[in-house]
Amino acid sequence: NLFWSPTRLTTVTLTGSRSVDDTSNPLFSGLVRTELSIGAQHELRRNIILSAQGRATSIARDGVDGTDGSDREYTVSGSVRYLVSPRWSLRLRGEHFERNGQFNFNQNRVLIGASYAF
């Protein structure tokens, strides 16, 4: 993880990881996941926080029947958080997810939420 604050109101984050995922599929012995993400958060006003994130993932398959390969996943998201009071906040988030490889699909999501901190 790498964190950088170019100003007092802005934070940039760079994250990288590599791990082995378990699988219940009898055709694969394991999935090696390599992930890189970058994100930014900016306090537009004292009670409005903007954030954006992009993530790219490569999932390498090692098939026991000789079917090797890799999948690619991409995610781009952005959100706005409004701090109503010291305990209440409202959030709007949009996300696009795309997967290429053995199982191809795309997904767009919108999240609207309210949270209360105890």
Side-chain angles (χ1 to χ4, degrees), residues 45-58:
R45 298 187 63 162
R46 195 165 231 6
N47 61 344
I48 299 176
I49 300 170
L50 305 175
S51 63
Q53 183 179 18
R55 182 177 67 215
T57 305
S58 173

Side-chain angles (χ1 to χ4, degrees), residues 102-116:
Q102 187 173 12
F103 304 107
N104 296 326
F105 67 96
N106 297 326
Q107 183 179 39
N108 294 313
R109 294 190 285 187
V110 175
L111 167 78
I112 299 171
S115 63
Y116 179 79

Side-chain angles (χ1 to χ4, degrees), residues 80-91:
V80 177
R81 194 169 75 188
Y82 175 63
L83 306 174
V84 179
S85 71
R87 295 195 181 265
W88 283 100
S89 68
L90 301 174
R91 183 174 178 183

Side-chain angles (χ1 to χ4, degrees), residues 1 4 6 11 14 21 26 28-30 37 65-67 90 92-93 100-103 105 108 114-115:
N1 293 333
W4 176 51
T11 304
L14 179 66
D21 291 350
F28 301 117
S29 61
S37 67
D65 61 351
T67 57
L90 301 174
L92 174 66
R93 177 183 168 103
N100 301 319
Q102 187 173 12
F103 304 107
F105 67 96
N108 294 313
S115 63

Side-chain angles (χ1 to χ4, degrees), residues 54-73:
R55 182 177 67 215
T57 305
S58 173
I59 304 170
R61 297 185 310 270
D62 182 19
V64 294
D65 61 351
T67 57
D68 298 341
S70 66
D71 294 343
R72 303 257 189 257
E73 293 179 353

